[in-house]
Amino acid sequence: MITVEKPVQATVPAPPPKPAPNRDPRYLALRNFSISISVLNIFGYTVLGFEQPWLWPILAVLSGYAVEIGFEMLSAKAYRRAPRFLGNGARGVYEFLLPAHITALAVNMLTYANDQFWPVLFGVVVAISAKHVLQAPINGRMRHFMNPSNLGITMMLLCLSGWVSIAPPYEFTENANTLFRVAIPLILVTAGTVINAALTKKIPLILGWLGGFVIQALIRHWFWDVALASALGAMTGVAFALFTNYMISDPGTTPFKARAQFMFGSSVAMVYGIMMLFNVVYTLFFATTLVCLLRGMGWWVAHLVQKRRARQRPHAVSFSAQAVKP
């Protein structure tokens, strides 16, 4: 009996699965921040009660785009490189302009200049240009260290106090009913916490800021007889929620390590408490600006000290080599 064996078919291995595309957390954070602040502005002008002219945010954003692109072209020419918004089509331009979009909307939303747009333009120009001018060697590369929108608002309040003030906090809930008025800060806190926990990883900074804020309020209450309800009452407002989740936690100008984040947040709270003792107004913005400035100066001092030691090291080596010669 003859048996015929069936030919064995070679099994072709299945192609390996394609690796999942890496999702840049910085891009996701900027995109979500941009969407959040854009939606808030839309609701602010249509539902909540924003009192700035409705044309101002559009002009502010367009001005921010122009300043960002202009400075990037100057930087690219100075360093003989291609502008960062080129090479990836429309998506590259979109990603490049996300920080300018957030900064411009924040400067306009948090300030009030009546019917004058030029103070808002001044704040936007200062905020965005500072990213290219005020830089320090941080972890081996030049990075901007001043919170852009916070610096723009600070300079508006210092230089144009006769035309500009902080946007009145009531405008965030002016036209909302009782239920919606309570829901607004809850929505802002929830959305901001999710973004900072999942993307920017700034929860230690926020904890340091909140804990330090409570501590400075208790210290002012115990030693300077400040009413505790008044000292802690700021934490219940929409402005405080916006500042905590969207201003002080700026991913580009705050530390990366958890311990350094905690120290940064608590430092802003302590500077805030000291300024309050001297009756400084607009304290949240000034305290953040001062801490960012001191942090940038610290990076420059560390860089110069390290550079000086590097120059002295060859002389020390040559001196020790001469000492061991017979």
Side-chain angles (χ1 to χ4, degrees), residues 19-315:
N22 294 327
R23 307 184 70 182
D24 184 5
R26 182 178 180 274
Y27 160 71
L28 294 176
L30 289 173
R31 184 198 65 184
N32 291 352
F33 271 124
S34 178
I35 294 174
S36 299
I37 197 170
S38 299
V39 171
L40 179 59
N41 272 265
I42 293 173
F43 274 96
Y45 282 98
T46 58
V47 178
L48 301 181
F50 282 14
E51 297 186 355
Q52 302 94 333
W54 63 267
L55 188 60
W56 276 196
I58 299 175
L59 295 178
V61 167
L62 294 178
S63 302
Y65 291 168
V67 175
E68 187 73 85
I69 291 175
F71 269 99
E72 176 59 24
M73 293 181 67
L74 289 175
S75 299
K77 185 176 181 179
Y79 291 102
R80 297 181 180 180
R81 58 172 175 81
R84 290 182 296 164
F85 55 85
L86 297 181
N88 197 19
R91 180 181 175 86
V93 178
Y94 161 74
E95 293 182 2
F96 173 77
L97 292 177
L98 282 177
H101 183 88
I102 297 170
T103 300
L105 284 181
V107 169
N108 176 77
M109 181 180 67
L110 297 176
T111 57
Y112 182 74
N114 203 353
D115 60 345
Q116 302 292 323
F117 176 70
W118 67 269
V120 178
L121 177 62
F122 172 80
V124 172
V125 172
V126 170
I128 295 178
S129 60
K131 295 169 53 180
H132 299 268
V133 177
L134 300 178
Q135 297 185 349
I138 302 176
N139 295 328
R141 55 176 294 190
M142 297 297 293
R143 300 175 61 93
H144 66 283
F145 56 86
M146 297 299 293
N147 187 310
S149 54
N150 187 85
L151 178 63
I153 295 172
T154 298
M155 296 307 297
M156 290 173 68
L157 297 173
L158 288 176
C159 301
L160 307 174
S161 58
W163 291 273
V164 180
S165 67
I166 292 298
Y170 64 78
E171 73 175 17
F172 292 98
T173 57
E174 183 177 9
N175 297 331
N177 57 32
T178 303
L179 179 61
F180 193 39
R181 189 173 297 145
V182 175
I184 290 173
L186 295 178
I187 294 172
L188 293 175
V189 169
T190 302
T193 302
V194 170
I195 293 175
N196 286 303
L199 299 176
T200 63
K201 311 296 184 183
K202 298 299 181 181
I203 294 299
L205 187 149
I206 294 176
L207 292 177
W209 157 245
L210 294 177
F213 194 91
V214 173
I215 292 173
Q216 64 83 27
L218 293 174
I219 292 175
R220 288 195 292 131
H221 171 67
W222 289 333
F223 294 98
W224 284 276
D225 296 325
V226 176
L228 187 59
S230 175
L232 294 176
M235 302 181 71
T236 63
V238 176
F240 189 88
L242 286 171
F243 182 85
T244 300
N245 289 281
Y246 299 95
M247 179 69 74
I248 194 176
S249 58
D250 175 49
T253 56
T254 52
F256 297 101
K257 296 182 179 180
R259 182 179 178 181
Q261 288 185 37
F262 188 89
M263 294 299 297
F264 182 91
S266 58
S267 298
V268 174
M270 291 300 107
V271 173
Y272 171 91
I274 294 173
M275 288 185 172
M276 287 296 292
L277 293 177
F278 291 94
N279 298 318
V280 176
V281 296
Y282 309 130
T283 322
L284 290 174
F285 301 102
F286 293 157
T288 305
T289 298
L290 181 58
V291 172
C292 288
L293 178 62
L294 293 176
R295 180 172 178 261
M297 293 173 62
W299 278 110
W300 269 113
V301 170
H303 172 73
L304 294 176
V305 169
Q306 184 179 8
K307 193 174 181 180
R308 181 180 179 182
R309 290 177 178 175
R311 288 199 303 264
Q312 293 176 346
R313 192 174 298 115
H315 298 286

